[in-house]
Amino acid sequence: DIILLAMIAGFIFLRLRAILGKRTGHQENTDTRFSKQFLQEKILKNKLKNFEFNEKEKKEFLKGAKIAYETIITDFSDSDNKLTRCKSLLSEKIYDQFKEALSEREAKSYYAEITFIGINSASIKDHNRIDNNLEVTVDFVSELITCIKDKNKKIISGDSDKVKKVYDTWTFSRDTRSINPNWLLVDTKS
């Protein structure tokens, strides 16, 4: 039995050695992807530490902010009251505020009809660093068709045929210590 167990252990050892290889201590670093990735992350962290935006970075940020804006607006208007598409874009505080507003709307048997027409403009109003958090405040001008209806489809507020110009100021934040590259919506003003 001992010989059989020793043979099995030897076989497993040889298979592992064949699969994993043997380290002699004289290998050269043949995979440069790690060092390039490490260097890029170091450059990104340095930029985030100083928190300066060049024009290209501002355009990229605004592109993402516009997508987030549209996603959040349309998800908030859905009647399922779950905020499923935009939950990962919201801070816990904003998520709770949106859920509360949706719950109030549902308790009154109201539902929202929001048609997102488009964003006329988006501009960075301010950006700063607060401890380990980066914050960017964006002014949005968008066009929506909005109305709130009761369970009998009677319009309570808004107009289902009129395009309304909406001015919003949203603040996005990102924790520099987090490996998550996403920015979260942390404050809204209309």
Side-chain angles (χ1 to χ4, degrees), residues 108-126:
K108 293 177 182 177
S109 297
Y110 292 171
Y111 67 97
E113 284 185 0
I114 299 176
T115 304
F116 187 83
I117 304 298
I119 297 173
N120 292 349
S121 68
S123 60
I124 295 175
K125 180 179 180 180
D126 190 24

Side-chain angles (χ1 to χ4, degrees), residues 20-39:
L20 299 176
K22 146 175 123 169
R23 186 164 184 91
T24 63
H26 297 291
Q27 288 85 7
E28 291 191 25
N29 186 7
T30 57
D31 188 5
T32 59
R33 287 178 295 161
F34 175 76
S35 60
K36 286 179 185 175
Q37 182 180 1
F38 178 76
L39 184 59

Side-chain angles (χ1 to χ4, degrees), residues 33-85:
R33 287 178 295 161
F34 175 76
S35 60
K36 286 179 185 175
Q37 182 180 1
F38 178 76
L39 184 59
Q40 288 172 343
E41 287 176 6
K42 190 173 181 179
I43 291 169
L44 177 64
K45 283 183 180 181
N46 190 39
K47 278 188 173 185
L48 292 177
K49 182 179 179 185
N50 298 327
F51 198 36
E52 293 299 324
F53 272 153
N54 65 35
E55 288 306 311
K56 182 181 177 187
E57 291 165 335
K58 284 180 183 179
K59 285 180 183 177
E60 284 297 313
F61 179 85
L62 286 173
K63 181 179 174 184
K66 288 177 185 179
I67 293 168
Y69 181 84
E70 181 177 356
T71 302
I72 292 167
I73 294 289
T74 55
D75 200 20
F76 185 71
S77 70
D78 283 349
S79 59
D80 66 2
N81 293 340
K82 293 185 180 156
L83 299 172
T84 51
R85 289 188 310 265

Side-chain angles (χ1 to χ4, degrees), residues 3-174:
I3 294 174
L4 181 63
L5 288 173
M7 288 174 53
I8 292 172
F11 175 75
I12 292 172
F13 174 75
L14 290 174
R15 290 294 295 158
L16 283 172
R17 185 173 178 201
I19 292 170
L20 299 176
K22 146 175 123 169
R23 186 164 184 91
T24 63
H26 297 291
Q27 288 85 7
E28 291 191 25
N29 186 7
T30 57
D31 188 5
T32 59
R33 287 178 295 161
F34 175 76
S35 60
K36 286 179 185 175
Q37 182 180 1
F38 178 76
L39 184 59
Q40 288 172 343
E41 287 176 6
K42 190 173 181 179
I43 291 169
L44 177 64
K45 283 183 180 181
N46 190 39
K47 278 188 173 185
L48 292 177
K49 182 179 179 185
N50 298 327
F51 198 36
E52 293 299 324
F53 272 153
N54 65 35
E55 288 306 311
K56 182 181 177 187
E57 291 165 335
K58 284 180 183 179
K59 285 180 183 177
E60 284 297 313
F61 179 85
L62 286 173
K63 181 179 174 184
K66 288 177 185 179
I67 293 168
Y69 181 84
E70 181 177 356
T71 302
I72 292 167
I73 294 289
T74 55
D75 200 20
F76 185 71
S77 70
D78 283 349
S79 59
D80 66 2
N81 293 340
K82 293 185 180 156
L83 299 172
T84 51
R85 289 188 310 265
C86 71
K87 185 175 183 178
S88 64
L89 302 172
L90 305 174
S91 68
E92 191 174 322
K93 174 187 138 191
I94 295 294
Y95 177 77
D96 290 342
Q97 289 175 356
F98 282 12
K99 282 300 274 187
E100 184 179 327
L102 290 172
S103 296
E104 287 175 15
R105 191 166 74 192
E106 186 178 27
K108 293 177 182 177
S109 297
Y110 292 171
Y111 67 97
E113 284 185 0
I114 299 176
T115 304
F116 187 83
I117 304 298
I119 297 173
N120 292 349
S121 68
S123 60
I124 295 175
K125 180 179 180 180
D126 190 24
H127 69 281
N128 54 41
R129 182 185 181 95
I130 301 170
D131 297 325
N132 291 314
N133 292 315
L134 305 177
E135 287 191 355
V136 180
T137 304
V138 180
D139 286 333
F140 292 99
V141 179
S142 63
E143 291 184 344
L144 307 170
I145 299 173
T146 65
C147 70
I148 305 293
K149 295 183 177 181
D150 65 11
K151 63 183 175 185
N152 299 321
K153 296 191 177 185
K154 180 183 174 192
I155 295 177
I156 304 299
S157 69
D159 188 339
S160 61
D161 297 322
K162 186 177 179 185
V163 176
K164 177 180 171 184
K165 195 170 274 199
V166 179
Y167 300 88
D168 286 316
T169 301
W170 286 13
T171 301
F172 297 91
S173 180
R174 181 177 182 274

